[in-house]
Amino acid sequence: DIQLTQSPSFLSASVGDRVTITCRASQGISSYLAWYQQSPGKAPKLLIYAASSLQSGVPSRFSGSVSGTEFTLTISTLQPEDFATYYCQVLNNYPLTFGGGTKVEIK
Amino acid sequence: QVQLQESGPGLVKPSQTLSLTCTVSSASISSGGHYWGWIRQHPGQGLEWIGYIYYSGSTHYNPSLKSRVTISVDTSKNQFSLKLTSVTAADTAVYYCARSPSYGLGSRSFDFWGQGTLVTVSS
């Protein structure tokens, strides 16, 4: 199974900050990774697929990139509605696995 | 807008079978092009993929649950279902149903989700 390690697990930030979350895969998965946002009590929402493709309707302040086995989710200017937990997910290998999550909290 | 809605008992006794159904609206399971799956989330924890099914009946399961899981589809009702046998307290979780594209760059991501339903295993 491919393991996805997210860092940090918790992140405190302010509105307007630039935020970067990292997901490292235990082996090469090319660009086969997705990112989700989950607000408290809600279902996850797909933000990005194929490492850097923005899902329809997702604001352009969200972006994704990859370098080797390290994937990055960046929020360019943090908005109040962005305080949530973010998960990565592998797309090209069974079982489909998720990272442990990164909770973005208000500083 | 595709909508998914989970339904089923919120309380299941240990050793019994957990059964949930997902009803899909504004999309046809039988049209193909998507898998229809289940993901669960233990209280306060991360996400765990359970498995998914294609309209043809083809399935993929998480090996960690495969011996206890059956996912089935009823295209006439535009529904798919989850059965998890021999449940224990460790199966207490929020269960989500979700849609996954079967081809393209976003294949195997989950682009539409149900709201989730909490299933508690307790006597």
Side-chain angles (χ1 to χ4, degrees), chain B residues 70-86:
Chain B
T70 302
I71 297 175
S72 58
V73 65
D74 185 338
T75 55
S76 67
K77 295 182 179 179
N78 217 32
Q79 295 175 335
F80 60 104
S81 298
L82 168 70
K83 289 190 186 299
L84 181 65
T85 61
S86 304

mmCIF file with all atom_site columns, all heavy atoms in Angstrom, chain B residues 70-86:
data_model
loop_
_atom_site.group_PDB
_atom_site.id
_atom_site.type_symbol
_atom_site.label_atom_id
_atom_site.label_alt_id
_atom_site.label_comp_id
_atom_site.label_asym_id
_atom_site.label_entity_id
_atom_site.label_seq_id
_atom_site.pdbx_PDB_ins_code
_atom_site.Cartn_x
_atom_site.Cartn_y
_atom_site.Cartn_z
_atom_site.occupancy
_atom_site.B_iso_or_equiv
_atom_site.pdbx_formal_charge
_atom_site.auth_seq_id
_atom_site.auth_comp_id
_atom_site.auth_asym_id
_atom_site.auth_atom_id
_atom_site.pdbx_PDB_model_num
ATOM 1   N N   . THR B 1 70 ? -19.478 -6.175  1.144   1.00 0.00 ? 70 THR B N   1
ATOM 2   C CA  . THR B 1 70 ? -20.113 -6.392  -0.152  1.00 0.00 ? 70 THR B CA  1
ATOM 3   C C   . THR B 1 70 ? -20.758 -5.086  -0.576  1.00 0.00 ? 70 THR B C   1
ATOM 4   O O   . THR B 1 70 ? -21.520 -4.487  0.186   1.00 0.00 ? 70 THR B O   1
ATOM 5   C CB  . THR B 1 70 ? -21.190 -7.481  -0.104  1.00 0.00 ? 70 THR B CB  1
ATOM 6   O OG1 . THR B 1 70 ? -20.620 -8.707  0.343   1.00 0.00 ? 70 THR B OG1 1
ATOM 7   C CG2 . THR B 1 70 ? -21.792 -7.685  -1.491  1.00 0.00 ? 70 THR B CG2 1
ATOM 8   N N   . ILE B 1 71 ? -20.418 -4.632  -1.781  1.00 0.00 ? 71 ILE B N   1
ATOM 9   C CA  . ILE B 1 71 ? -21.077 -3.472  -2.380  1.00 0.00 ? 71 ILE B CA  1
ATOM 10  C C   . ILE B 1 71 ? -21.860 -3.968  -3.587  1.00 0.00 ? 71 ILE B C   1
ATOM 11  O O   . ILE B 1 71 ? -21.328 -4.722  -4.420  1.00 0.00 ? 71 ILE B O   1
ATOM 12  C CB  . ILE B 1 71 ? -20.062 -2.388  -2.783  1.00 0.00 ? 71 ILE B CB  1
ATOM 13  C CG1 . ILE B 1 71 ? -19.335 -1.854  -1.538  1.00 0.00 ? 71 ILE B CG1 1
ATOM 14  C CG2 . ILE B 1 71 ? -20.760 -1.236  -3.504  1.00 0.00 ? 71 ILE B CG2 1
ATOM 15  C CD1 . ILE B 1 71 ? -18.229 -0.853  -1.835  1.00 0.00 ? 71 ILE B CD1 1
ATOM 16  N N   . SER B 1 72 ? -23.114 -3.551  -3.665  1.00 0.00 ? 72 SER B N   1
ATOM 17  C CA  . SER B 1 72 ? -23.977 -3.975  -4.771  1.00 0.00 ? 72 SER B CA  1
ATOM 18  C C   . SER B 1 72 ? -24.660 -2.766  -5.383  1.00 0.00 ? 72 SER B C   1
ATOM 19  O O   . SER B 1 72 ? -24.677 -1.679  -4.785  1.00 0.00 ? 72 SER B O   1
ATOM 20  C CB  . SER B 1 72 ? -25.022 -4.974  -4.270  1.00 0.00 ? 72 SER B CB  1
ATOM 21  O OG  . SER B 1 72 ? -25.794 -4.398  -3.241  1.00 0.00 ? 72 SER B OG  1
ATOM 22  N N   . VAL B 1 73 ? -25.204 -2.950  -6.568  1.00 0.00 ? 73 VAL B N   1
ATOM 23  C CA  . VAL B 1 73 ? -25.851 -1.848  -7.270  1.00 0.00 ? 73 VAL B CA  1
ATOM 24  C C   . VAL B 1 73 ? -27.223 -2.284  -7.774  1.00 0.00 ? 73 VAL B C   1
ATOM 25  O O   . VAL B 1 73 ? -27.415 -3.443  -8.177  1.00 0.00 ? 73 VAL B O   1
ATOM 26  C CB  . VAL B 1 73 ? -24.959 -1.344  -8.435  1.00 0.00 ? 73 VAL B CB  1
ATOM 27  C CG1 . VAL B 1 73 ? -24.789 -2.410  -9.506  1.00 0.00 ? 73 VAL B CG1 1
ATOM 28  C CG2 . VAL B 1 73 ? -25.493 -0.051  -9.027  1.00 0.00 ? 73 VAL B CG2 1
ATOM 29  N N   . ASP B 1 74 ? -28.175 -1.360  -7.720  1.00 0.00 ? 74 ASP B N   1
ATOM 30  C CA  . ASP B 1 74 ? -29.517 -1.581  -8.263  1.00 0.00 ? 74 ASP B CA  1
ATOM 31  C C   . ASP B 1 74 ? -29.782 -0.435  -9.235  1.00 0.00 ? 74 ASP B C   1
ATOM 32  O O   . ASP B 1 74 ? -30.203 0.653   -8.836  1.00 0.00 ? 74 ASP B O   1
ATOM 33  C CB  . ASP B 1 74 ? -30.550 -1.606  -7.144  1.00 0.00 ? 74 ASP B CB  1
ATOM 34  C CG  . ASP B 1 74 ? -31.946 -1.959  -7.642  1.00 0.00 ? 74 ASP B CG  1
ATOM 35  O OD1 . ASP B 1 74 ? -32.210 -1.782  -8.856  1.00 0.00 ? 74 ASP B OD1 1
ATOM 36  O OD2 . ASP B 1 74 ? -32.781 -2.380  -6.834  1.00 0.00 ? 74 ASP B OD2 1
ATOM 37  N N   . THR B 1 75 ? -29.499 -0.665  -10.507 1.00 0.00 ? 75 THR B N   1
ATOM 38  C CA  . THR B 1 75 ? -29.628 0.414   -11.489 1.00 0.00 ? 75 THR B CA  1
ATOM 39  C C   . THR B 1 75 ? -31.084 0.812   -11.696 1.00 0.00 ? 75 THR B C   1
ATOM 40  O O   . THR B 1 75 ? -31.364 1.960   -12.039 1.00 0.00 ? 75 THR B O   1
ATOM 41  C CB  . THR B 1 75 ? -29.005 0.002   -12.833 1.00 0.00 ? 75 THR B CB  1
ATOM 42  O OG1 . THR B 1 75 ? -29.588 -1.222  -13.271 1.00 0.00 ? 75 THR B OG1 1
ATOM 43  C CG2 . THR B 1 75 ? -27.490 -0.171  -12.700 1.00 0.00 ? 75 THR B CG2 1
ATOM 44  N N   . SER B 1 76 ? -32.020 -0.086  -11.454 1.00 0.00 ? 76 SER B N   1
ATOM 45  C CA  . SER B 1 76 ? -33.436 0.249   -11.633 1.00 0.00 ? 76 SER B CA  1
ATOM 46  C C   . SER B 1 76 ? -33.895 1.289   -10.620 1.00 0.00 ? 76 SER B C   1
ATOM 47  O O   . SER B 1 76 ? -34.802 2.075   -10.896 1.00 0.00 ? 76 SER B O   1
ATOM 48  C CB  . SER B 1 76 ? -34.295 -1.001  -11.528 1.00 0.00 ? 76 SER B CB  1
ATOM 49  O OG  . SER B 1 76 ? -34.279 -1.524  -10.218 1.00 0.00 ? 76 SER B OG  1
ATOM 50  N N   . LYS B 1 77 ? -33.262 1.290   -9.459  1.00 0.00 ? 77 LYS B N   1
ATOM 51  C CA  . LYS B 1 77 ? -33.596 2.268   -8.419  1.00 0.00 ? 77 LYS B CA  1
ATOM 52  C C   . LYS B 1 77 ? -32.572 3.393   -8.341  1.00 0.00 ? 77 LYS B C   1
ATOM 53  O O   . LYS B 1 77 ? -32.722 4.308   -7.528  1.00 0.00 ? 77 LYS B O   1
ATOM 54  C CB  . LYS B 1 77 ? -33.688 1.573   -7.055  1.00 0.00 ? 77 LYS B CB  1
ATOM 55  C CG  . LYS B 1 77 ? -34.818 0.569   -6.938  1.00 0.00 ? 77 LYS B CG  1
ATOM 56  C CD  . LYS B 1 77 ? -34.854 -0.038  -5.534  1.00 0.00 ? 77 LYS B CD  1
ATOM 57  C CE  . LYS B 1 77 ? -35.997 -1.025  -5.395  1.00 0.00 ? 77 LYS B CE  1
ATOM 58  N NZ  . LYS B 1 77 ? -36.035 -1.645  -4.045  1.00 0.00 ? 77 LYS B NZ  1
ATOM 59  N N   . ASN B 1 78 ? -31.524 3.305   -9.166  1.00 0.00 ? 78 ASN B N   1
ATOM 60  C CA  . ASN B 1 78 ? -30.426 4.283   -9.136  1.00 0.00 ? 78 ASN B CA  1
ATOM 61  C C   . ASN B 1 78 ? -29.812 4.356   -7.731  1.00 0.00 ? 78 ASN B C   1
ATOM 62  O O   . ASN B 1 78 ? -29.581 5.444   -7.187  1.00 0.00 ? 78 ASN B O   1
ATOM 63  C CB  . ASN B 1 78 ? -30.880 5.671   -9.605  1.00 0.00 ? 78 ASN B CB  1
ATOM 64  C CG  . ASN B 1 78 ? -29.802 6.374   -10.414 1.00 0.00 ? 78 ASN B CG  1
ATOM 65  O OD1 . ASN B 1 78 ? -29.005 5.744   -11.120 1.00 0.00 ? 78 ASN B OD1 1
ATOM 66  N ND2 . ASN B 1 78 ? -29.772 7.682   -10.318 1.00 0.00 ? 78 ASN B ND2 1
ATOM 67  N N   . GLN B 1 79 ? -29.571 3.186   -7.171  1.00 0.00 ? 79 GLN B N   1
ATOM 68  C CA  . GLN B 1 79 ? -29.018 3.066   -5.822  1.00 0.00 ? 79 GLN B CA  1
ATOM 69  C C   . GLN B 1 79 ? -27.854 2.087   -5.806  1.00 0.00 ? 79 GLN B C   1
ATOM 70  O O   . GLN B 1 79 ? -27.775 1.183   -6.647  1.00 0.00 ? 79 GLN B O   1
ATOM 71  C CB  . GLN B 1 79 ? -30.082 2.562   -4.840  1.00 0.00 ? 79 GLN B CB  1
ATOM 72  C CG  . GLN B 1 79 ? -31.248 3.478   -4.606  1.00 0.00 ? 79 GLN B CG  1
ATOM 73  C CD  . GLN B 1 79 ? -32.301 2.848   -3.716  1.00 0.00 ? 79 GLN B CD  1
ATOM 74  O OE1 . GLN B 1 79 ? -32.430 1.624   -3.632  1.00 0.00 ? 79 GLN B OE1 1
ATOM 75  N NE2 . GLN B 1 79 ? -33.062 3.693   -3.021  1.00 0.00 ? 79 GLN B NE2 1
ATOM 76  N N   . PHE B 1 80 ? -26.992 2.262   -4.832  1.00 0.00 ? 80 PHE B N   1
ATOM 77  C CA  . PHE B 1 80 ? -26.007 1.236   -4.546  1.00 0.00 ? 80 PHE B CA  1
ATOM 78  C C   . PHE B 1 80 ? -25.928 1.077   -3.027  1.00 0.00 ? 80 PHE B C   1
ATOM 79  O O   . PHE B 1 80 ? -26.333 1.970   -2.275  1.00 0.00 ? 80 PHE B O   1
ATOM 80  C CB  . PHE B 1 80 ? -24.639 1.540   -5.175  1.00 0.00 ? 80 PHE B CB  1
ATOM 81  C CG  . PHE B 1 80 ? -23.988 2.819   -4.723  1.00 0.00 ? 80 PHE B CG  1
ATOM 82  C CD1 . PHE B 1 80 ? -22.935 2.798   -3.824  1.00 0.00 ? 80 PHE B CD1 1
ATOM 83  C CD2 . PHE B 1 80 ? -24.378 4.046   -5.252  1.00 0.00 ? 80 PHE B CD2 1
ATOM 84  C CE1 . PHE B 1 80 ? -22.293 3.966   -3.429  1.00 0.00 ? 80 PHE B CE1 1
ATOM 85  C CE2 . PHE B 1 80 ? -23.761 5.229   -4.860  1.00 0.00 ? 80 PHE B CE2 1
ATOM 86  C CZ  . PHE B 1 80 ? -22.721 5.186   -3.948  1.00 0.00 ? 80 PHE B CZ  1
ATOM 87  N N   . SER B 1 81 ? -25.423 -0.081  -2.597  1.00 0.00 ? 81 SER B N   1
ATOM 88  C CA  . SER B 1 81 ? -25.529 -0.433  -1.189  1.00 0.00 ? 81 SER B CA  1
ATOM 89  C C   . SER B 1 81 ? -24.231 -0.997  -0.639  1.00 0.00 ? 81 SER B C   1
ATOM 90  O O   . SER B 1 81 ? -23.387 -1.509  -1.385  1.00 0.00 ? 81 SER B O   1
ATOM 91  C CB  . SER B 1 81 ? -26.646 -1.467  -0.989  1.00 0.00 ? 81 SER B CB  1
ATOM 92  O OG  . SER B 1 81 ? -27.890 -0.933  -1.375  1.00 0.00 ? 81 SER B OG  1
ATOM 93  N N   . LEU B 1 82 ? -24.107 -0.889  0.660   1.00 0.00 ? 82 LEU B N   1
ATOM 94  C CA  . LEU B 1 82 ? -22.957 -1.415  1.396   1.00 0.00 ? 82 LEU B CA  1
ATOM 95  C C   . LEU B 1 82 ? -23.447 -2.389  2.445   1.00 0.00 ? 82 LEU B C   1
ATOM 96  O O   . LEU B 1 82 ? -24.418 -2.105  3.172   1.00 0.00 ? 82 LEU B O   1
ATOM 97  C CB  . LEU B 1 82 ? -22.213 -0.259  2.088   1.00 0.00 ? 82 LEU B CB  1
ATOM 98  C CG  . LEU B 1 82 ? -21.151 -0.643  3.120   1.00 0.00 ? 82 LEU B CG  1
ATOM 99  C CD1 . LEU B 1 82 ? -19.945 -1.270  2.434   1.00 0.00 ? 82 LEU B CD1 1
ATOM 100 C CD2 . LEU B 1 82 ? -20.721 0.575   3.942   1.00 0.00 ? 82 LEU B CD2 1
ATOM 101 N N   . LYS B 1 83 ? -22.803 -3.537  2.523   1.00 0.00 ? 83 LYS B N   1
ATOM 102 C CA  . LYS B 1 83 ? -23.019 -4.463  3.634   1.00 0.00 ? 83 LYS B CA  1
ATOM 103 C C   . LYS B 1 83 ? -21.677 -4.779  4.263   1.00 0.00 ? 83 LYS B C   1
ATOM 104 O O   . LYS B 1 83 ? -20.724 -5.135  3.551   1.00 0.00 ? 83 LYS B O   1
ATOM 105 C CB  . LYS B 1 83 ? -23.708 -5.750  3.172   1.00 0.00 ? 83 LYS B CB  1
ATOM 106 C CG  . LYS B 1 83 ? -25.163 -5.557  2.782   1.00 0.00 ? 83 LYS B CG  1
ATOM 107 C CD  . LYS B 1 83 ? -25.871 -6.876  2.575   1.00 0.00 ? 83 LYS B CD  1
ATOM 108 C CE  . LYS B 1 83 ? -27.277 -6.684  2.036   1.00 0.00 ? 83 LYS B CE  1
ATOM 109 N NZ  . LYS B 1 83 ? -28.120 -5.893  2.967   1.00 0.00 ? 83 LYS B NZ  1
ATOM 110 N N   . LEU B 1 84 ? -21.608 -4.616  5.578   1.00 0.00 ? 84 LEU B N   1
ATOM 111 C CA  . LEU B 1 84 ? -20.398 -4.911  6.334   1.00 0.00 ? 84 LEU B CA  1
ATOM 112 C C   . LEU B 1 84 ? -20.787 -5.889  7.447   1.00 0.00 ? 84 LEU B C   1
ATOM 113 O O   . LEU B 1 84 ? -21.595 -5.552  8.312   1.00 0.00 ? 84 LEU B O   1
ATOM 114 C CB  . LEU B 1 84 ? -19.811 -3.626  6.922   1.00 0.00 ? 84 LEU B CB  1
ATOM 115 C CG  . LEU B 1 84 ? -18.514 -3.758  7.717   1.00 0.00 ? 84 LEU B CG  1
ATOM 116 C CD1 . LEU B 1 84 ? -17.372 -4.209  6.819   1.00 0.00 ? 84 LEU B CD1 1
ATOM 117 C CD2 . LEU B 1 84 ? -18.162 -2.429  8.400   1.00 0.00 ? 84 LEU B CD2 1
ATOM 118 N N   . THR B 1 85 ? -20.235 -7.077  7.382   1.00 0.00 ? 85 THR B N   1
ATOM 119 C CA  . THR B 1 85 ? -20.644 -8.126  8.313   1.00 0.00 ? 85 THR B CA  1
ATOM 120 C C   . THR B 1 85 ? -19.777 -8.137  9.572   1.00 0.00 ? 85 THR B C   1
ATOM 121 O O   . THR B 1 85 ? -18.709 -7.519  9.635   1.00 0.00 ? 85 THR B O   1
ATOM 122 C CB  . THR B 1 85 ? -20.550 -9.511  7.651   1.00 0.00 ? 85 THR B CB  1
ATOM 123 O OG1 . THR B 1 85 ? -19.185 -9.751  7.281   1.00 0.00 ? 85 THR B OG1 1
ATOM 124 C CG2 . THR B 1 85 ? -21.420 -9.572  6.404   1.00 0.00 ? 85 THR B CG2 1
ATOM 125 N N   . SER B 1 86 ? -20.282 -8.822  10.583  1.00 0.00 ? 86 SER B N   1
ATOM 126 C CA  . SER B 1 86 ? -19.535 -9.063  11.836  1.00 0.00 ? 86 SER B CA  1
ATOM 127 C C   . SER B 1 86 ? -18.938 -7.783  12.408  1.00 0.00 ? 86 SER B C   1
ATOM 128 O O   . SER B 1 86 ? -17.743 -7.706  12.698  1.00 0.00 ? 86 SER B O   1
ATOM 129 C CB  . SER B 1 86 ? -18.426 -10.096 11.578  1.00 0.00 ? 86 SER B CB  1
ATOM 130 O OG  . SER B 1 86 ? -18.941 -11.283 11.049  1.00 0.00 ? 86 SER B OG  1
#
